[in-house]
Amino acid sequence: MAEIRLEGIVKDYGAHRAIHGVDLHVNDGEFVAFVGPSGCGKSTMLRMIAGLEEISGGTLSIGGRKVNDVEPKGRDVAMVFQDYALYPHMTIRENIGFGLKMRGWKAADLAPKVEDAARILQIGDYLERKPGQLSGGQRQRVAMGRAIVREPSVFLFDEPLSNLDAKLRVEMRTQIKRLHAMLGTTTVYVTHDQTEAMTLADKVVVLKAGHIVQEGPPMELYDRPNCRFVAEFIGSPQMNVFSGELDRSTGAPILRTGGAAIALGEVAARDGAKIDVGVRPEDLGLAAPGQGLIRPVVDVFEPLGSDTIAICRLGETEVSARLAPNVALRSGQEIMLDYDRAKLHYFDSETGRRLEAA
């Protein structure tokens, strides 16, 4: 078993506390992604699991064994870094097999393992080349191959795709997902890109200022964010949020915000309460003239081929809508947008916590 347990994990840098008593369970074979803004502690958590950062408090166990004071080489983990960390003077074959060679493996035993890893990662034709002769994506595959040959209990990835261009990131996401399906190794993956986290992980862990804000399956975080922070962090373009006062004076609840009135569903909040109301861009659609629930003015629009992102203004609030690819728009145009009130998200303006629909 290669489950990972963090119990009350704390990390202090002098008087500054970077990680605040984190509890987390990663199941054997699970793919977990840490996401959050810069400085939230995601890489620090990963490095503590790897043994590259000292733990200030709490208990870390891997496979049922406490490893707080175990050296990195004794934890049976393999880490893939952002910058590849390859030896430029060695061939790809030598780079992949270097760790096992240092452990005393003989060349005859090492060769088939290196070739098998290269075959899995589709870099078998490059084994006699040097890293400088490969593309960024190929070098990242070499770094992954070096981790694979060790057959560790846990793979750790620290923003491995951030140095790649957009096309290569998509290709490498597919490669990593295929690799996990093939090997089934427990994996912890750090990224600042929520799209990577959503597409790769079985469980996403959202961090903020050294705390876990929410964890769960990707679609659970997307459909039921427990606070405004998670709601705006998960999803691209990010969720539209309107802030205002709940008004039930006319019967049906509405949000009064900056001179506009937003029609709501029932929400568990008192009349006059300050609330935030969120709606995802993909849940907004064009309505017939005069029939839309909101009437924003188009600022700019982005035709993407598969769809069009309209970035509009509704009073002082920016509104993004994901519309059909062939929609005709122009800057300064007022458009009618509709939405399903059942897909609105409600948050307390003071605490940011989710409010349930009544």
Side-chain angles (χ1 to χ4, degrees):
M1 294 290 287
E3 66 175 6
I4 304 170
R5 286 189 179 273
L6 288 76
E7 298 174 306
I9 291 294
V10 170
K11 177 60 182 177
D12 294 328
Y13 294 102
H16 172 67
R17 176 151 293 182
I19 303 294
H20 301 262
V22 163
D23 296 310
L24 180 66
H25 180 207
V26 180
N27 292 313
D28 181 37
E30 192 171 31
F31 194 124
V32 172
F34 293 167
V35 295
S38 297
C40 70
K42 54 188 183 293
S43 288
T44 300
M45 293 240 303
L46 190 80
R47 291 175 64 83
M48 285 193 288
I49 295 171
L52 302 177
E53 289 278 1
E54 182 180 342
I55 296 170
S56 304
T59 301
L60 170 65
S61 62
I62 299 175
R65 178 172 67 118
K66 182 179 176 181
V67 296
N68 286 49
D69 301 317
V70 176
E71 292 294 316
K73 64 182 180 181
R75 297 191 181 198
D76 196 21
V77 303
M79 192 159 178
V80 178
F81 295 91
Q82 176 181 345
D83 60 359
Y84 321 132
L86 303 178
Y87 296 105
H89 63 287
M90 293 184 182
T91 65
I92 301 311
R93 181 186 298 277
E94 291 168 334
N95 265 283
I96 293 176
F98 182 75
L100 294 185
K101 182 180 179 181
M102 291 297 98
R103 294 183 179 189
W105 280 58
K106 296 180 179 179
D109 298 324
L110 185 55
K113 289 187 68 67
V114 170
E115 288 164 9
D116 191 45
R119 176 187 56 78
I120 290 171
L121 294 167
Q122 301 173 356
I123 52 173
D125 293 339
Y126 310 124
L127 287 175
E128 307 313 321
R129 297 187 188 183
K130 301 287 182 65
Q133 297 173 286
L134 303 186
S135 68
Q138 290 166 340
R139 277 179 278 174
Q140 192 57 276
R141 292 186 191 195
V142 175
M144 289 165 60
R146 186 173 53 193
I148 289 171
V149 295
R150 293 178 52 189
E151 297 182 354
S153 297
V154 176
F155 284 133
L156 304 175
F157 289 87
D158 190 8
E159 303 204 42
L161 309 185
S162 59
N163 287 338
L164 305 180
D165 63 34
K167 182 175 183 293
L168 277 176
R169 283 202 301 272
V170 173
E171 291 177 3
M172 288 303 299
R173 278 209 315 259
T174 302
Q175 189 74 47
I176 291 170
K177 190 152 191 169
R178 184 181 294 126
L179 183 66
H180 183 257
M182 184 184 305
L183 302 178
T185 306
T186 305
T187 300
V188 181
Y189 187 102
V190 163
T191 178
H192 64 277
D193 185 336
Q194 53 90 23
T195 301
E196 279 181 28
M198 293 282 288
T199 54
L200 286 171
D202 303 314
K203 178 164 68 181
V204 176
V205 178
V206 182
L207 291 111
K208 179 184 180 184
H211 297 270
I212 291 178
V213 183
Q214 187 174 1
E215 61 176 277
M219 291 310 298
E220 179 180 304
L221 271 61
Y222 178 87
D223 289 330
R224 288 189 56 78
N226 67 4
C227 63
R228 176 171 172 171
F229 176 80
V230 174
E232 292 184 296
F233 195 84
I234 299 295
S236 180
Q238 75 174 36
M239 181 184 287
N240 301 298
V241 178
F242 306 94
S243 299
E245 184 175 296
L246 179 61
D247 183 359
R248 291 195 177 92
S249 62
T250 60
I254 60 174
L255 181 78
R256 298 207 175 274
T257 172
I262 310 293
L264 308 179
E266 281 298 336
V267 54
R270 60 176 176 78
D271 190 36
K274 302 291 186 182
I275 66 171
D276 299 332
V277 178
V279 59
R280 295 203 178 276
E282 49 271 36
D283 291 330
L284 291 171
L286 281 177
Q291 297 183 16
L293 291 174
I294 57 174
R295 299 166 57 182
V297 174
V298 175
D299 187 5
V300 295
F301 54 95
E302 302 171 342
L304 302 177
S306 59
D307 47 36
T308 297
I309 305 298
I311 302 170
C312 313
R313 306 295 305 182
L314 183 67
E316 298 300 314
T317 304
E318 184 174 279
V319 181
S320 295
R322 189 184 293 275
L323 305 175
N326 57 352
V327 63
L329 298 173
R330 66 178 186 278
S331 295
Q333 173 188 2
E334 183 180 78
I335 58 175
M336 304 287 180
L337 294 177
D338 212 342
Y339 51 86
D340 181 349
R341 300 181 205 196
K343 293 187 175 181
L344 296 177
H345 302 261
Y346 306 102
F347 308 98
D348 183 283
S349 290
E350 184 176 345
T351 66
R353 305 302 297 177
R354 183 181 184 87
L355 298 171
E356 295 302 329

